[in-house]
Every structure is written in structure tokens, then in C-alpha cells.
Amino acid sequence: MMMCKGATQLMSLKQDRALTLQERMSLRLHLMMCDPCRQCDKQFALLHEAGERMQHDILGDDAAKD
Amino acid sequence: MTDPLPDEDSPSTSPSRMERLTAVRPRLLSFARLHLRDSAQAEDAVQEALMAAIEKDASFAGRSGYETWVFGILKYKILDMMRAQKRQGVWQPLEEEGDDDSIERQFQSSGRWQQHARPASWGEPHTVFENERFWQVFDACMIALPDNVARVFSLRELMGLSTAEICQEIGIKENNCWVILHRARLRLRSCLESGWLKGETL
Ligand SMILES: [Zn+2]
């Protein structure tokens, strides 16, 4: 049974490569039962989006024109 | 054509482009600083990128926006300088393994979250991103990361490189890269949550 710490490994990995079917299943199972990890999962996704945001903000209006 | 030229070396850069460079400069600088972890080097990288943009002005094809083009030049400069930092031995060894205390503190020995470290809801991303305080804390949390962890995270999430590309760039194994990114994210989430959500001083 995967614990929270192991689940965060998969949540992090998910931002960097596609998870295998088995990884996806065990993460999904854990997230179904664990609210703090669901929050963590959202936070990792938000961090990823923050990086994209920052690049966009650097470009300002320019990014909209791309 | 009576406009004074902005610079002898830049006969073809129009005043409006010079203004755009001036406007984007501070943002380029904070971006460079997050990667290079050194204010002076970040200044140099941005300076060189802006000079290159002015010199190569004629080669700007206009296929992308002007700022996007300049930003591309800066990214290239940053990677160049990071490689130089690595060569010159400025970096701590990257392969160091072992437990990271600030991560261990977030979990019980069973692998469950510690009560005090349990992630809370941050709300909707678009609301979060509109919050200026979030970005201030984000910046402070990035600076608080160990240098190597911050470099790998910046390359991945701010520069948008794949982990395979990062491995090549800085010569670490992909596995190591994933371990470092996992740590970076756990540290950042914890730092952001206490600094921004709970308003603790960092
Ligand atoms: Zn959990």
C-alpha cells in the first residue's frame, strides 16, 4: 500500500513524464482516499503552471501575439 | 528619418524597440537571477542578451514577437553561463544523495503527512496567480532553495526543458533529476504554504 510520501513522488514525476499504467492506478487509488495528497497534487500542478505564467509575464503582451 | 540613433553600435534598432528592451529588462533580470543564483552574473547575462539583440536586430525575422525573440536569446545565454558555472566548479556536486531533512520533516516515519505539514487548499489557480503576494513569496521560496535544487527546478519549470535535456545540460542521470525535482516541489509547496497562506515570515 503506497503512503503519502510515495504518492508525492508519483505526483512530482507526473509533471515530468507520462506515468506508467501501474503508476497511474496506484496514484489514483491513493488520491481517492487521501485529501492532503489531493491538495498536494493540485499544488504541484500549480507550481508547473506558475513557471509557464512567469515566462508569459516576461513576454507581456508579446505572448498574446504569438 | 530625423530620430537620433540610440547608440552608435545599433544603427538599425529603432527607438521603439529600444524602449521595449528597457521595459522588459527588469523581468529578464529576475528570470536570469533564478537560474544563475548570482546577481552579477544575471546582470551580465541580460546585458549580453540585450547587446546581442541590438547587434542582430536585422536578423529578427518577425516570425515570433520581438520580446519572445529577445527572451530566446537570453535563455541561450543563461544556459551558456550555467555550463560555464558548472565547468568552473562553482556548483556543489549534484549527485549527493541521502535524506533531505526539510522533506523528512513533512512526513511521519510511516510515510503519512505530519499533522503540521498537511497540504491545504490554495484555491483556484487563476485567483492565486492574480495575487501579488503569492509571487513575492514564490520568489523568496525559490531563493531559499538549495542552489542545485533551484537550478534543476528552474531549468524544468521556468525554462521548460525536459528532464532528458536537463541531464544532458548539466550531466546528471535522469533518475537523479526526478529525485531533485521531487524535493524542489515539496520544499516549495511547504515554503509557499507557510509564507503565503499562513503568512509566516520566511
Ligand atoms: Zn496521501
Side-chain angles (χ1 to χ4, degrees):
Chain A
M1 184 71 236
M2 189 175 53
M3 285 297 156
C4 301
K5 195 175 166 189
T8 65
Q9 261 165 17
L10 292 181
M11 294 173 210
S12 176
L13 208 50
K14 196 174 76 168
Q15 302 298 329
D16 305 317
R17 68 152 166 85
L19 297 183
T20 65
L21 181 63
Q22 199 190 345
E23 287 168 338
R24 254 193 346 258
M25 297 301 282
S26 53
L27 178 58
R28 192 183 299 170
L29 191 66
H30 184 92
L31 291 181
M32 271 180 353
M33 305 179 308
C34 182
D35 181 62
C37 279
R38 278 199 296 276
Q39 298 305 333
C40 185
D41 190 43
K42 285 185 197 164
Q43 293 174 2
F44 282 2
L46 188 138
L47 287 175
H48 178 75
E49 212 183 310
E52 285 175 357
R53 262 313 157 108
M54 195 176 270
Q55 297 199 44
H56 256 250
D57 287 350
I58 287 171
L59 304 177
D61 297 337
D62 205 28
K65 282 179 253 154
D66 283 352
Chain B
M1 282 297 282
T2 51
D3 283 344
L5 295 173
D7 189 314
E8 270 182 39
D9 297 334
S10 56
S12 58
T13 306
S14 71
S16 79
R17 278 198 184 153
M18 291 304 283
E19 273 168 32
R20 286 168 76 171
L21 289 181
T22 312
V24 78
R25 193 177 187 285
R27 283 171 281 158
L28 295 180
L29 197 56
S30 50
F31 183 83
R33 208 179 284 135
L34 290 178
H35 288 84
L36 295 166
R37 315 283 294 172
D38 180 301
S39 295
Q41 291 209 7
E43 286 275 357
D44 287 350
V46 171
Q47 204 56 34
E48 280 180 32
L50 296 184
M51 300 273 283
I54 292 167
E55 276 164 20
K56 293 193 282 186
D57 191 74
S59 73
F60 168 61
R63 271 183 298 260
S64 61
Y66 182 60
E67 278 82 358
T68 307
W69 178 69
V70 177
F71 189 37
I73 298 176
L74 177 67
K75 284 179 172 177
Y76 188 81
K77 292 276 174 208
I78 290 174
L79 286 176
D80 230 31
M81 290 179 76
M82 287 179 89
R83 279 181 218 119
Q85 281 183 339
K86 182 110 204 295
R87 262 200 317 275
Q88 290 155 10
V90 177
W91 294 15
Q92 303 291 317
L94 263 158
E95 302 286 345
E96 110 260 20
E97 270 302 322
D99 289 343
D100 182 332
D101 282 348
S102 77
I103 304 300
E104 296 307 316
R105 251 179 278 137
Q106 294 188 46
F107 298 97
Q108 304 171 20
S109 53
S110 66
R112 289 195 178 88
W113 292 99
Q114 290 282 6
Q115 188 68 34
H116 68 86
R118 276 190 184 178
S121 171
W122 290 1
E124 290 304 313
H126 67 267
T127 319
V128 173
F129 293 140
E130 277 165 21
N131 189 320
E132 211 173 304
R133 171 93 185 131
F134 170 83
W135 291 106
Q136 286 166 1
V137 178
F138 182 83
D139 218 57
C141 289
M142 282 292 296
I143 288 165
L145 284 180
D147 285 347
N148 286 335
V149 173
R151 285 187 185 107
V152 173
F153 182 82
S154 301
L155 287 173
R156 175 73 194 101
E157 299 288 41
L158 306 183
M159 193 83 84
L161 299 189
S162 69
T163 47
E165 287 168 324
I166 295 171
C167 297
Q168 255 195 336
E169 226 25 91
I170 61 182
I172 55 173
K173 294 194 198 79
E174 202 165 19
N175 243 328
N176 212 265
C177 206
W178 287 322
V179 172
I180 294 171
L181 286 168
H182 178 225
R183 289 178 179 177
R185 291 179 176 120
L186 280 175
R187 275 174 179 261
L188 278 175
R189 67 141 298 275
S190 156
C191 179
L192 274 159
E193 202 159 296
S194 45
W196 167 61
L197 217 56
K198 297 180 190 157
E200 289 165 17
T201 35
L202 296 167

